[in-house]
Amino acid sequence: MIKIFKFGGAALGNVERIRALCEIIQNEEYDRLVIVCSAFQNVTNELTALAKSYYQHKENTLEDFHKLKAKHHQVLDHLVPNRQDLQDDLNDLFMETEWFIEDQPEEDFSYSLDQILVTGEIISSRIVSHFLNQQSIDNNWVDIRDYIITDNKYNNANVLWTETEMRLKKLWDNHTSKILVTQGFIASSTENFSTTLGREGSDYTASILSSRLQADSVTFWKDVPGIMSSDPKLDMGATKLKKLSYEEAIEMTYYGAKVIHPKTIKPIIKQEIPFFVKSFLHPNELGTTISSEENLEYPPLTVIKKDQSVLIFKTKDYSHISSKDSSRIFDSLANNHVKANLIMTKAREIIICLDHNEAVINEIKETLNNHYNINIHMNLRLTTVRHYTANTLDELKMKSIKYQMQDGTTLQYLCSD
Ligand code: ASP
Ligand code: MG
C-alpha cells in the first residue's frame, strides 16, 4: 500500500508539532510512504518579503535572511541536539540562497522570487528527514525538483506531464528506503531553474505524486478536524463533513473555500484516489474523506470571501447588453488575470464581483470607460451557500443585502463587510 502524507505549514509550526508528525508516521500502516512537506508556518511569506527587499536593494536583506536561518537552526537543534554535522548540512543548503541574494537582482522578479522561495520547503523537509532518522525511522530525503518538471512560468508554473511522469517512474528505484521525505510547492524548469506551483501549492504536489505513483490514498494533515461546513472562526455552528465528493470539493474551491488547492482534484479524478483530510492534533479521529462517491447528503456549506469589489458596467446609449459587451468585459478581466466571483446581467448592466485590487480596477476602468458608465462598490463580503435550505433563506431576511443570486443548489449574496 502506497500512501502520501502532506504536512502543511501549520503541521510544521513548531518543535512539538514535528514530534507529533513523527508519532503519526510511527503509528500508521503502509508499505511505502511519501511525506510532502510545506515550508514552516509563515516562512513562505517571510521569504516573499525577503525577495522584495533583495529586489529593492534594501540593506536589511542579508540580516533578515540570517534571522530566518537562525530560526531553522534552532528547530533542528531542539529536535536533534548537538549534531554539528546536521547543522553544517543545513548551512550548505542555505548557502545557495545566500549566494543568490548576494548577487545583483535579475530583471525578472518572479524568477528571483522562486529561486528564493524554494528555500522554505528544502530546509523544512531536510529537518523533518533528519529528525525521523534520529528517531530510527529510516527515510531518504528527495529533492522533488529532480522529478517534477514544469515550464518556466515562475510563481505559477505548469507541470510538464510527460517528463515528470518519466522521472517519477524511477523514484522508488533511485532510493533504498520505503519512506521518502520531500517538498511540496516547488519544482524545476527544464533549464534547471527552480519554479513554484502557486501559493498553497503543496496540496497539488501531493496530488501529482499520488496520481503518478499510483498511490492508494493521500492524507492532508491539518490543524482542523476535517473539512468544515463553514469557517469555524466565523460560525459557531460549523460542523465537520464526514464525506465530500470530488465534484463538491471542486465546487467549494471555486467559490473560495480553502478546502484544498483548487488544482488538486484534477490529477487524481480518473484514478479515484481517495483524499483524507485529518487533524494532526487528533490523528485517531476520522476526518473528511473526499472521494468519487456521489449522491451524498450535505448540510448548507458556506464560503465567505471578504474584501470584495463590485463593478457595474452600464451601457451609455440605453442599448441592451449584447454578447459583444460581455466579451469585451470578460476580455478585460482575462487580460488582467482576474476571476469574477459573481456575475449578473440585467437589461443595461453587467455586474461583476472581484477580489479587491485597486490596480486591476483602475486598469479595467481605463480600458472600458469609453463604452460604459462604470460604478464601483467596495468593502463587500460575498457569501456563497451551497445546498441552502428554507432556513438559510429565512435568515437572509434579517440582512441588508446588496446583490443576491441563486439557482437550485447555490445561493450567493453580497453585504457590506
Ligand atoms: N509554502 C507554500 C505556501 O505557503 C506552499 C504551501 O504551503 O502549500 O504557499
Ligand atoms: Mg498551506
Side-chain angles (χ1 to χ4, degrees), residues 146-372:
D146 294 333
Y147 293 91
I148 298 184
I149 307 303
T150 66
D151 61 12
N152 57 6
K153 202 164 167 278
Y154 298 106
N155 300 175
N156 204 4
N158 300 297
V159 174
L160 302 178
W161 288 103
T162 316
E163 183 64 28
T164 299
E165 204 165 307
M166 204 178 75
R167 293 187 186 214
L168 281 174
K169 274 199 182 121
K170 298 185 202 131
L171 179 71
W172 295 113
D173 289 343
N174 291 348
H175 299 92
T176 50
S177 174
K178 69 170 191 168
I179 301 179
L180 305 181
V181 178
T182 193
Q183 310 79 39
F185 178 53
I186 72 171
S188 164
S189 68
T190 44
E191 302 101 355
N192 258 332
F193 292 118
S194 295
T195 57
T196 60
L197 304 172
R199 286 304 306 264
E200 301 293 331
S202 297
D203 288 353
Y204 185 41
T205 305
S207 158
I208 295 167
L209 293 178
S210 68
S211 87
R212 272 24 188 201
L213 300 174
Q214 273 89 35
D216 294 274
S217 67
V218 185
T219 308
F220 298 91
W221 294 96
K222 294 197 177 248
D223 56 352
V224 286
I227 293 174
M228 306 297 285
S229 61
S230 55
D231 184 347
K233 285 188 207 110
L234 304 171
D235 176 8
M236 301 257 290
T239 54
K240 183 183 80 190
L241 304 174
K242 288 198 180 106
K243 292 176 176 183
L244 196 69
S245 68
Y246 293 138
E247 291 288 332
E248 190 59 39
I250 291 170
E251 291 285 337
M252 284 176 77
T253 51
Y254 174 79
Y255 292 111
K258 301 232 158 48
V259 179
I260 35 177
H261 192 281
K263 287 184 189 167
T264 309
I265 306 279
K266 214 171 138 194
I268 52 95
I269 209 153
K270 280 207 197 102
Q271 291 157 283
E272 302 193 358
I273 300 167
F275 280 179
F276 304 118
V277 179
K278 290 183 71 164
S279 162
F280 54 77
L281 301 166
H282 308 284
N284 296 327
E285 283 176 18
L286 285 178
T288 303
T289 305
I290 309 177
S291 71
S292 56
E293 195 176 338
E294 290 289 336
N295 304 321
L296 299 168
E297 291 278 325
Y298 297 109
L301 305 177
T302 308
V303 183
I304 291 179
K305 277 188 143 238
K306 292 180 169 187
D307 204 12
Q308 300 293 297
S309 289
V310 163
L311 280 68
I312 303 157
F313 302 89
K314 197 166 191 165
T315 53
K316 283 188 168 169
D317 57 0
Y318 291 88
S319 63
H320 281 165
I321 289 289
S322 69
S323 42
K324 200 161 183 188
D325 296 307
S326 319
S327 75
R328 189 184 284 134
I329 291 168
F330 286 114
D331 277 352
S332 126
L333 296 183
N335 293 340
N336 284 286
H337 309 286
V338 286
K339 166 180 160 280
N341 297 327
L342 181 132
I343 303 157
M344 291 170 85
T345 314
K346 293 188 179 174
R348 283 186 52 216
E349 286 173 6
I350 290 191
I351 300 161
I352 290 192
C353 171
L354 307 172
D355 293 342
H356 180 72
N357 180 327
E358 203 169 311
V360 166
I361 292 178
N362 287 339
E363 179 70 34
I364 295 176
K365 255 168 72 181
E366 203 148 294
T367 330
L368 299 176
N369 242 337
N370 283 345
H371 299 277
Y372 311 98

Side-chain angles (χ1 to χ4, degrees), residues 14-16 18-19 22 40 71-90 123-137 139:
N14 55 43
V15 171
E16 280 67 43
I18 300 172
R19 291 209 170 101
C22 175
F40 289 172
K71 184 162 110 177
H72 286 89
H73 275 287
Q74 252 175 22
V75 173
L76 180 64
D77 205 33
H78 260 97
L79 291 167
V80 194
N82 307 322
R83 283 287 302 269
Q84 193 52 46
D85 57 336
L86 302 188
Q87 293 288 352
D88 289 346
D89 172 61
L90 226 56
I123 301 289
S124 70
S125 59
R126 192 69 151 211
I127 293 176
V128 167
S129 170
H130 282 323
F131 178 56
L132 293 180
N133 275 329
Q134 154 87 11
Q135 301 299 305
S136 308
I137 302 174
N139 71 90

